[in-house]
Amino acid sequence: MDKLQERAIAFRQLIDYQYVIKLGRKGQIYSFVIDFQKQDFFHLIGLQKLTDLRFLKRSSEYIFNSCLKGKLTYSMLEKSEYFDELGYRFDCFHLLESILDDNELIFKCNINSMRVYSNIKADYMLQNLKDELTFYIFTEKRSNADTQFCKSFFENSEKDYSKGQTKMTLLYKEKINKITGKSEIQYDKLSDK
């Protein structure tokens, strides 16, 4: 199977799920839901970096469906002069769900501190150590809904993006299958009280 199609299929499975997350800091509880939509795939896997490929100018949902069907392939992406910018993000994309399933560090993003490292504007950042690599997932509130979406995902062991960010305490995390209604409580510190 084509490498790009494999990653689209992995992301397609995530579309059926949402994560309910509750965080605490100084007596306050912050709650949000992360969900997934087809158009999220384009930016999350880094296709926006391949600016010289005309066929990527279509809608992000169309691009995702083309990847899913195998009409847009890895070898087509390799033709971009910017292909190397996809980097390790593409290779590790299959880890996205397992990183979200872990109960690692979560930070509330401070945009002013973030500017030192990146132009990413996000509400929350998940930091995860997996296979001795540090992964970051940034989330932001959807403009048309009351949920967060995964805006960016990458590995970077050279920069510590958590510096200057507000560390939150994970209190509760639940993964819900929106199709079946089945849920899995992955972490629950609230019921201990």
Side-chain angles (χ1 to χ4, degrees):
M1 182 181 291
D2 178 73
K3 289 181 188 180
L4 183 57
Q5 187 178 27
E6 284 176 351
R7 282 143 182 86
I9 289 170
F11 188 76
R12 172 59 195 93
Q13 292 171 350
L14 266 178
I15 291 173
D16 291 342
Y17 289 91
Q18 64 183 16
Y19 290 84
V20 175
I21 297 175
K22 295 181 181 182
L23 307 171
R25 173 132 176 107
K26 294 185 177 180
Q28 295 280 91
I29 293 180
Y30 302 82
S31 300
F32 60 94
V33 174
I34 299 174
D35 71 354
F36 307 89
Q37 295 179 10
K38 290 179 180 182
Q39 67 265 22
D40 302 341
F41 178 78
F42 184 85
H43 193 86
L44 201 52
I45 201 161
L47 297 181
Q48 77 284 358
K49 294 179 179 288
L50 310 181
T51 56
D52 57 338
L53 298 180
R54 294 186 74 182
F55 55 82
L56 292 179
K57 303 292 185 219
R58 309 280 303 259
S59 77
S60 51
E61 190 169 331
Y62 177 87
I63 297 295
F64 174 73
N65 287 330
S66 297
C67 296
L68 202 56
K69 294 173 186 172
K71 293 180 179 179
L72 180 58
T73 64
Y74 183 77
S75 63
M76 292 168 76
L77 300 183
E78 286 180 306
K79 293 176 182 169
S80 171
E81 65 179 272
Y82 306 109
F83 179 75
D84 289 342
E85 291 190 31
L86 287 183
Y88 209 62
R89 169 196 317 219
F90 188 92
D91 295 335
C92 294
F93 194 77
H94 67 284
L95 297 173
L96 181 63
E97 185 172 5
S98 67
I99 289 170
L100 287 164
D101 285 346
D102 282 346
N103 299 315
E104 294 286 335
L105 300 174
I106 301 177
F107 298 85
K108 187 162 178 39
C109 288
N110 177 341
I111 293 172
N112 293 328
S113 296
M114 189 64 72
R115 285 190 188 131
V116 174
Y117 302 106
S118 170
N119 289 327
I120 296 172
K121 293 180 180 130
D123 297 322
Y124 296 96
M125 177 186 75
L126 288 72
Q127 182 184 38
N128 187 289
L129 185 66
K130 196 170 232 21
D131 302 327
E132 298 181 23
L133 298 170
T134 303
F135 289 92
Y136 296 94
I137 299 173
F138 292 88
T139 71
E140 185 176 54
K141 186 178 182 300
R142 288 193 189 280
S143 59
N144 60 350
D146 198 25
T147 58
Q148 296 272 322
F149 69 98
C150 293
K151 180 177 189 172
S152 191
F153 163 71
F154 55 87
E155 180 275 328
N156 193 321
S157 299
E158 296 170 13
K159 294 179 187 174
D160 183 358
Y161 286 84
S162 67
K163 285 187 179 175
Q165 306 310 312
T166 304
K167 185 177 177 183
M168 309 294 282
T169 300
L170 180 63
L171 300 174
Y172 180 87
K173 185 152 68 76
E174 181 179 8
K175 184 178 184 181
I176 302 170
N177 184 313
K178 296 184 294 186
I179 307 302
T180 65
K182 184 179 176 187
S183 76
E184 171 192 353
I185 296 174
Q186 296 180 327
Y187 189 82
D188 187 359
K189 196 171 181 180
L190 292 174
S191 64
D192 294 344
K193 295 181 177 183

